[in-house]
Short mmCIF file of all heavy atoms in Angstrom, two decimals:
data_model
loop_
_atom_site.label_atom_id
_atom_site.label_comp_id
_atom_site.label_asym_id
_atom_site.label_seq_id
_atom_site.Cartn_x
_atom_site.Cartn_y
_atom_site.Cartn_z
N ALA A 22 14.01 -6.63 6.11
CA ALA A 22 13.18 -5.73 5.32
C ALA A 22 12.07 -5.20 6.19
O ALA A 22 11.59 -5.88 7.09
CB ALA A 22 12.61 -6.47 4.12
N THR A 23 11.65 -3.98 5.91
CA THR A 23 10.58 -3.40 6.72
C THR A 23 9.25 -4.07 6.41
O THR A 23 8.46 -4.29 7.29
CB THR A 23 10.49 -1.89 6.48
OG1 THR A 23 10.36 -1.66 5.08
CG2 THR A 23 11.72 -1.19 7.01
N SER A 24 8.99 -4.38 5.14
CA SER A 24 7.78 -5.10 4.77
C SER A 24 7.92 -5.59 3.33
O SER A 24 8.77 -5.13 2.59
CB SER A 24 6.54 -4.21 4.88
OG SER A 24 6.61 -3.17 3.93
N VAL A 25 7.08 -6.53 2.99
CA VAL A 25 7.03 -7.04 1.62
C VAL A 25 5.61 -6.78 1.13
O VAL A 25 4.66 -7.29 1.71
CB VAL A 25 7.37 -8.55 1.55
CG1 VAL A 25 7.19 -9.07 0.15
CG2 VAL A 25 8.79 -8.80 2.05
N SER A 26 5.47 -5.99 0.09
CA SER A 26 4.14 -5.66 -0.43
C SER A 26 3.55 -6.82 -1.21
O SER A 26 4.22 -7.43 -2.03
CB SER A 26 4.23 -4.43 -1.34
OG SER A 26 2.98 -4.18 -1.90
N THR A 27 2.29 -7.11 -0.94
CA THR A 27 1.58 -8.17 -1.66
C THR A 27 0.39 -7.61 -2.44
O THR A 27 -0.32 -8.35 -3.09
CB THR A 27 1.05 -9.23 -0.67
OG1 THR A 27 0.14 -8.61 0.23
CG2 THR A 27 2.18 -9.88 0.12
N SER A 28 0.19 -6.30 -2.40
CA SER A 28 -1.01 -5.69 -2.95
C SER A 28 -1.12 -5.79 -4.47
O SER A 28 -2.21 -5.71 -5.00
CB SER A 28 -1.11 -4.23 -2.53
OG SER A 28 -0.01 -3.50 -3.04
N GLY A 29 -0.02 -5.97 -5.18
CA GLY A 29 -0.08 -6.01 -6.64
C GLY A 29 -0.42 -7.38 -7.20
O GLY A 29 -0.43 -7.57 -8.41
N PHE A 30 -0.73 -8.33 -6.33
CA PHE A 30 -0.98 -9.70 -6.78
C PHE A 30 -2.37 -10.16 -6.37
O PHE A 30 -2.90 -9.73 -5.37
CB PHE A 30 0.09 -10.64 -6.19
CG PHE A 30 1.48 -10.26 -6.56
CD1 PHE A 30 2.28 -9.51 -5.71
CD2 PHE A 30 2.02 -10.63 -7.78
CE1 PHE A 30 3.56 -9.15 -6.05
CE2 PHE A 30 3.30 -10.28 -8.14
CZ PHE A 30 4.08 -9.52 -7.28
N LYS A 31 -2.92 -11.10 -7.16
CA LYS A 31 -4.25 -11.65 -6.88
C LYS A 31 -4.19 -13.17 -6.94
O LYS A 31 -3.31 -13.75 -7.57
CB LYS A 31 -5.25 -11.13 -7.90
CG LYS A 31 -5.44 -9.62 -7.84
CD LYS A 31 -6.63 -9.18 -8.67
CE LYS A 31 -6.84 -7.70 -8.71
NZ LYS A 31 -6.64 -6.94 -7.52
N GLY A 32 -5.13 -13.81 -6.29
CA GLY A 32 -5.25 -15.27 -6.34
C GLY A 32 -4.02 -15.98 -5.81
O GLY A 32 -3.46 -15.59 -4.79
N GLU A 33 -3.60 -17.03 -6.53
CA GLU A 33 -2.45 -17.80 -6.09
C GLU A 33 -1.17 -16.98 -6.07
O GLU A 33 -0.31 -17.20 -5.23
CB GLU A 33 -2.24 -19.04 -6.99
CG GLU A 33 -2.98 -20.25 -6.53
CD GLU A 33 -2.50 -21.51 -7.21
OE1 GLU A 33 -2.52 -21.56 -8.46
OE2 GLU A 33 -2.09 -22.44 -6.50
N GLU A 34 -1.05 -16.04 -7.00
CA GLU A 34 0.14 -15.18 -7.00
C GLU A 34 0.21 -14.38 -5.69
O GLU A 34 1.28 -14.19 -5.12
CB GLU A 34 0.13 -14.25 -8.20
CG GLU A 34 0.36 -14.97 -9.51
CD GLU A 34 0.31 -14.05 -10.71
OE1 GLU A 34 -0.01 -12.85 -10.56
OE2 GLU A 34 0.59 -14.54 -11.82
N HIS A 35 -0.95 -13.92 -5.20
CA HIS A 35 -0.99 -13.21 -3.92
C HIS A 35 -0.58 -14.14 -2.78
O HIS A 35 0.14 -13.73 -1.86
CB HIS A 35 -2.39 -12.64 -3.66
CG HIS A 35 -2.47 -11.87 -2.38
ND1 HIS A 35 -2.86 -12.46 -1.20
CD2 HIS A 35 -2.19 -10.58 -2.09
CE1 HIS A 35 -2.82 -11.56 -0.24
NE2 HIS A 35 -2.42 -10.41 -0.75
N GLU A 36 -1.03 -15.39 -2.83
CA GLU A 36 -0.67 -16.36 -1.79
C GLU A 36 0.85 -16.55 -1.74
O GLU A 36 1.43 -16.66 -0.66
CB GLU A 36 -1.36 -17.69 -2.04
CG GLU A 36 -2.86 -17.66 -1.85
CD GLU A 36 -3.52 -18.96 -2.27
OE1 GLU A 36 -2.84 -20.02 -2.29
OE2 GLU A 36 -4.72 -18.94 -2.58
N VAL A 37 1.49 -16.63 -2.91
CA VAL A 37 2.94 -16.79 -2.98
C VAL A 37 3.62 -15.55 -2.38
O VAL A 37 4.53 -15.67 -1.55
CB VAL A 37 3.41 -17.04 -4.43
CG1 VAL A 37 4.92 -16.93 -4.55
CG2 VAL A 37 2.93 -18.41 -4.90
N ALA A 38 3.19 -14.37 -2.80
CA ALA A 38 3.77 -13.13 -2.27
C ALA A 38 3.54 -13.04 -0.76
O ALA A 38 4.43 -12.60 -0.02
CB ALA A 38 3.18 -11.92 -2.99
N GLN A 39 2.39 -13.48 -0.29
CA GLN A 39 2.10 -13.47 1.14
C GLN A 39 3.02 -14.41 1.90
O GLN A 39 3.45 -14.11 3.01
CB GLN A 39 0.63 -13.82 1.40
CG GLN A 39 0.22 -13.67 2.85
CD GLN A 39 0.34 -12.24 3.35
OE1 GLN A 39 -0.16 -11.32 2.72
NE2 GLN A 39 1.02 -12.05 4.47
N THR A 40 3.36 -15.55 1.30
CA THR A 40 4.30 -16.48 1.92
C THR A 40 5.65 -15.80 2.13
O THR A 40 6.27 -15.93 3.19
CB THR A 40 4.47 -17.75 1.06
OG1 THR A 40 3.21 -18.41 1.00
CG2 THR A 40 5.52 -18.68 1.62
N ILE A 41 6.09 -15.04 1.13
CA ILE A 41 7.36 -14.33 1.25
C ILE A 41 7.26 -13.25 2.33
O ILE A 41 8.18 -13.07 3.13
CB ILE A 41 7.78 -13.75 -0.12
CG1 ILE A 41 8.04 -14.90 -1.09
CG2 ILE A 41 9.00 -12.84 0.01
CD1 ILE A 41 8.13 -14.50 -2.54
N SER A 42 6.12 -12.57 2.39
CA SER A 42 5.90 -11.58 3.43
C SER A 42 5.91 -12.22 4.82
O SER A 42 6.51 -11.69 5.75
CB SER A 42 4.56 -10.86 3.18
OG SER A 42 4.33 -9.90 4.18
N ASN A 43 5.26 -13.36 4.95
CA ASN A 43 5.24 -14.07 6.23
C ASN A 43 6.65 -14.51 6.63
O ASN A 43 7.02 -14.41 7.81
CB ASN A 43 4.33 -15.29 6.16
CG ASN A 43 2.87 -14.93 5.99
OD1 ASN A 43 2.47 -13.78 6.18
ND2 ASN A 43 2.07 -15.90 5.59
N PHE A 44 7.42 -15.00 5.66
CA PHE A 44 8.80 -15.40 5.90
C PHE A 44 9.60 -14.21 6.41
O PHE A 44 10.35 -14.31 7.38
CB PHE A 44 9.38 -15.96 4.60
CG PHE A 44 10.83 -16.36 4.67
CD1 PHE A 44 11.25 -17.35 5.53
CD2 PHE A 44 11.77 -15.77 3.83
CE1 PHE A 44 12.59 -17.74 5.58
CE2 PHE A 44 13.09 -16.15 3.86
CZ PHE A 44 13.50 -17.14 4.74
N GLN A 45 9.41 -13.05 5.78
CA GLN A 45 10.10 -11.84 6.20
C GLN A 45 9.71 -11.49 7.64
O GLN A 45 10.56 -11.20 8.47
CB GLN A 45 9.77 -10.68 5.26
CG GLN A 45 10.40 -9.35 5.63
CD GLN A 45 9.63 -8.58 6.69
OE1 GLN A 45 8.40 -8.60 6.72
NE2 GLN A 45 10.35 -7.91 7.55
N SER A 46 8.44 -11.54 7.92
CA SER A 46 7.95 -11.20 9.25
C SER A 46 8.49 -12.15 10.31
O SER A 46 8.97 -11.72 11.36
CB SER A 46 6.42 -11.22 9.25
OG SER A 46 5.92 -10.93 10.52
N ASP A 47 8.43 -13.45 10.04
CA ASP A 47 8.91 -14.44 10.99
C ASP A 47 10.42 -14.34 11.19
O ASP A 47 10.93 -14.50 12.30
CB ASP A 47 8.54 -15.85 10.53
CG ASP A 47 7.04 -16.08 10.53
OD1 ASP A 47 6.30 -15.31 11.19
OD2 ASP A 47 6.59 -17.03 9.85
N THR A 48 11.14 -14.05 10.11
CA THR A 48 12.59 -13.91 10.20
C THR A 48 12.95 -12.66 10.98
O THR A 48 13.82 -12.69 11.86
CB THR A 48 13.22 -13.88 8.79
OG1 THR A 48 12.86 -15.08 8.10
CG2 THR A 48 14.72 -13.81 8.85
N SER A 49 12.28 -11.54 10.69
CA SER A 49 12.54 -10.29 11.41
C SER A 49 12.26 -10.43 12.90
O SER A 49 12.96 -9.86 13.73
CB SER A 49 11.70 -9.16 10.85
OG SER A 49 12.14 -8.82 9.56
N ALA A 50 11.22 -11.19 13.24
CA ALA A 50 10.87 -11.42 14.64
C ALA A 50 11.78 -12.45 15.30
O ALA A 50 11.64 -12.72 16.48
CB ALA A 50 9.41 -11.88 14.74
N GLN A 51 12.70 -12.99 14.52
CA GLN A 51 13.60 -14.05 14.97
C GLN A 51 12.81 -15.21 15.57
O GLN A 51 13.19 -15.78 16.58
CB GLN A 51 14.64 -13.50 15.93
CG GLN A 51 15.56 -12.51 15.24
CD GLN A 51 16.76 -12.14 16.06
OE1 GLN A 51 17.07 -12.78 17.06
NE2 GLN A 51 17.46 -11.12 15.64
N ASP A 52 11.72 -15.55 14.90
CA ASP A 52 10.87 -16.65 15.33
C ASP A 52 11.23 -17.89 14.50
O ASP A 52 10.56 -18.23 13.53
CB ASP A 52 9.40 -16.27 15.14
CG ASP A 52 8.46 -17.26 15.81
OD1 ASP A 52 8.88 -18.41 16.09
OD2 ASP A 52 7.29 -16.88 16.05
N GLN A 53 12.32 -18.53 14.89
CA GLN A 53 12.83 -19.68 14.14
C GLN A 53 11.82 -20.82 14.09
O GLN A 53 11.74 -21.53 13.09
CB GLN A 53 14.15 -20.19 14.74
CG GLN A 53 15.28 -19.20 14.67
CD GLN A 53 15.32 -18.24 15.85
OE1 GLN A 53 14.69 -18.44 16.88
NE2 GLN A 53 16.07 -17.16 15.69
N ALA A 54 11.03 -20.97 15.14
CA ALA A 54 10.02 -22.04 15.16
C ALA A 54 9.01 -21.83 14.04
O ALA A 54 8.65 -22.78 13.33
CB ALA A 54 9.32 -22.10 16.52
N ARG A 55 8.55 -20.59 13.86
CA ARG A 55 7.58 -20.31 12.78
C ARG A 55 8.23 -20.46 11.41
O ARG A 55 7.59 -20.95 10.49
CB ARG A 55 6.99 -18.91 12.94
CG ARG A 55 5.98 -18.83 14.07
CD ARG A 55 5.26 -17.50 14.11
NE ARG A 55 4.48 -17.25 12.90
CZ ARG A 55 3.22 -17.64 12.71
NH1 ARG A 55 2.60 -18.32 13.64
NH2 ARG A 55 2.59 -17.35 11.60
N VAL A 56 9.48 -20.01 11.27
CA VAL A 56 10.18 -20.16 9.98
C VAL A 56 10.22 -21.63 9.61
O VAL A 56 9.86 -22.01 8.49
CB VAL A 56 11.60 -19.57 10.03
CG1 VAL A 56 12.39 -19.94 8.78
CG2 VAL A 56 11.55 -18.06 10.19
#
Side-chain angles (χ1 to χ4, degrees):
T23 54
S24 66
V25 175
S26 175
T27 61
S28 63
F30 301 97
K31 297 191 183 320
E33 271 194 304
E34 291 178 354
H35 181 267
E36 291 173 23
V37 169
Q39 186 62 51
T40 297
I41 295 166
S42 180
N43 293 346
F44 177 61
Q45 178 277 324
S46 178
D47 294 342
T48 302
S49 291
Q51 295 191 13
D52 191 340
Q53 296 87 16
R55 285 188 62 87
V56 170

